[in-house]
Amino acid sequence: MVFHSIVPPYLLEQLEQAVDDPSLRARFRQSLQHDAVLRTRPAAGAAAAEPATDAGGPQRAVYDAEHRTDLPGTPARAEGEDPVQDESVNQAYDGTGATWRMFSECFGRDSIDGAGLALTSSVHYDRGYANAFWDGAQMVFGDGDGEIFGGFTESVDVTGHELTHGVTQYTANLAYEGQSGALNESISDVFGSLAKQHNLGQSTEEADWLIGAGLFRPGVQGVALRSMKAPGTAYDDPRLGRDPQPAHMSDYVETEDDNGGVHINSGIPNRAFYLTAAAIGGNAYDDAGKIWYSALTSGTLSETATFADFAAATQAAASELFGDDSSQLAAVTEAWQTVGVLTAESLPAEPSGAKQAESGVRAESESEGLMRAAKSGLPSSSPPAPPPSKD
């Protein structure tokens, strides 16, 4: 089964151990257990995979799981119907629509599969479920535990992130392990952020570049699950620990957890996209977004593509879209050099051949210590200071 969740397992494991309330610990334990089961469960039923009609535009269907785990659940709102009283239903409807519009208007893509696939969502999954996921056929949203996490339908970037796993599934189909898995996660962060920016009409400079902003309840010392602008600074809380994402290849985390660190090491390509968009300016869903989308859909990436492979694909895309002497290509190359994926001598579109970081890699035990760290002292909703620059 294809299963991608927005909250990484190491964060739920940290919470299950760190919170004082036994009922909260039980909720996080249950969320972890459900996620483990979901990885082996067949995809959701035929209703979730139903293709769209020829009507054009998004074809959305939102279901209410009614705090059970049978999917998709009871029909709650269909395409074109008026808003209902359940705000989670309306947020899922709006978030999937915003993501559909971004892919359609910015990249000419017709839904997740490029052929008008209906967008199915289920809300109120289980009780206190602290996650949201794409299961290969539909979106599923939990309501959160109520103390650490609120409802997962509230953040458009979360919806966009999970739906983009579907886009990757239908295009490059990047293996969900190691560097290819971190790319899979990063690409979802990129287009999840772009869905929010496009929906709000934000420029690169105006965007917050946070993934999951608004998920944390008051009192949590952090602003989001991840920061694309400054990986490693999204949270630092006694219960959550400290954000473990690296921003540079010299800090690449070697671990067997989290499918080889797919949620952790995604900070490196995330920052490369942010730096590219910031250097180009304007709207990130224009030139920078087109380069990343073109690389993803180019057909040149293997399922086990490395960071260097993807960097070369973005260079090739920038060259094809904007020319060999373009500022866009220069921005792409400099961004990947800044995060340590390409060397200063790397030529545009030259395959790197590097498969993993070979120096300065943190040991697994150190990464686990970082993930478990609880060095706080921050006011609520304030991010930690950025890590030392690797530029």
Side-chain angles (χ1 to χ4, degrees):
M1 172 183 179
V2 177
F3 173 79
H4 302 289
S5 59
I6 190 70
V7 180
Y10 61 78
L11 197 53
L12 293 176
E13 290 169 359
Q14 164 72 17
L15 287 167
E16 194 270 333
Q17 295 183 20
V19 296
D20 295 326
D21 186 339
S23 63
L24 269 181
R25 288 202 303 270
R27 289 181 186 178
F28 292 125
R29 187 181 309 116
Q30 181 171 300
S31 293
L32 280 164
Q33 290 170 346
H34 277 316
D35 290 355
V37 170
L38 286 164
R39 290 184 177 91
T40 62
R41 180 182 293 181
E50 182 180 350
T53 66
D54 295 330
Q59 298 297 313
R60 290 163 286 182
V62 183
Y63 293 80
D64 185 352
E66 299 177 328
H67 305 294
R68 295 193 289 267
T69 57
D70 297 327
L71 296 174
T74 303
R77 186 178 176 187
E79 185 63 44
E81 292 182 350
D82 291 335
V84 297
Q85 291 187 343
D86 189 331
E87 194 56 31
S88 293
V89 171
N90 297 329
Q91 289 170 345
Y93 183 92
D94 293 342
T96 52
T99 304
W100 185 96
R101 285 192 300 276
M102 184 269 296
F103 275 112
S104 175
E105 294 175 9
C106 298
F107 313 114
R109 187 174 188 83
D110 185 5
S111 193
I112 300 309
D113 64 345
L117 185 73
L119 301 178
T120 302
S121 304
S122 296
V123 301
H124 305 309
Y125 180 81
D126 203 6
R127 293 188 180 277
Y129 181 65
N131 225 328
F133 62 87
W134 166 259
D135 75 351
Q138 69 161 98
M139 276 294 309
V140 181
F141 298 94
D143 293 327
D145 59 278
E147 182 167 331
I148 303 296
F149 293 107
F152 283 80
T153 56
E154 298 178 15
S155 299
V156 171
D157 49 296
V158 169
T159 304
H161 171 104
E162 294 303 330
L163 289 177
T164 301
H165 279 305
V167 175
T168 300
Q169 173 186 327
Y170 281 100
T171 54
N173 196 28
L174 294 167
Y176 201 60
E177 185 174 2
Q179 287 197 13
S180 59
L183 284 171
N184 197 319
E185 278 297 322
S186 175
I187 288 164
S188 279
D189 278 354
V190 164
F191 290 100
S193 182
L194 294 186
K196 178 170 69 174
Q197 293 176 37
H198 183 261
N199 188 53
L200 296 176
Q202 292 178 331
S203 67
T204 297
E205 186 176 356
E206 293 168 335
D208 62 16
W209 294 99
L210 299 173
I211 302 299
L215 284 181
F216 290 146
R217 303 298 297 154
V220 175
Q221 296 174 21
V223 292
L225 291 172
R226 292 181 287 280
S227 169
M228 298 182 66
K229 183 177 182 179
T233 69
Y235 57 85
D236 192 351
D237 181 89
R239 295 161 296 181
L240 292 166
R242 183 178 179 182
D243 179 0
Q245 280 205 314
H248 191 274
M249 284 299 291
S250 62
D251 293 320
Y252 185 93
V253 179
E254 290 281 14
T255 176
E256 294 181 2
D257 293 335
D258 188 33
N259 288 78
V262 297
H263 289 92
I264 300 171
N265 292 312
S266 60
I268 297 168
N270 273 1
R271 187 160 184 252
F273 181 80
Y274 164 75
L275 291 171
T276 299
I280 294 174
N283 297 320
Y285 45 82
D286 287 332
D287 291 1
K290 286 180 173 64
I291 292 168
W292 253 244
Y293 181 79
S294 179
L296 177 66
T297 59
S298 64
T300 63
L301 295 171
S302 73
E303 293 184 5
T304 57
T306 64
F307 290 174
D309 294 333
F310 192 76
T314 58
Q315 287 179 306
S319 178
E320 181 176 353
L321 289 169
F322 303 106
D324 292 340
D325 297 323
S326 64
S327 59
Q328 292 89 339
L329 176 55
V332 168
T333 301
E334 183 176 358
W336 288 111
Q337 291 171 345
T338 298
V339 301
V341 171
L342 297 180
T343 66
E345 293 76 26
S346 297
L347 297 175
E350 179 183 11
S352 169
K355 297 301 179 184
Q356 296 288 341
E358 296 181 355
S359 62
V361 177
R362 287 186 288 182
E364 180 178 354
S365 59
E366 182 181 350
S367 71
E368 290 175 348
L370 180 57
M371 287 186 282
R372 305 289 184 197
K375 301 174 183 177
S376 58
L378 296 172
S380 176
S381 298
S382 295
S389 175
K390 300 289 183 178
D391 296 3

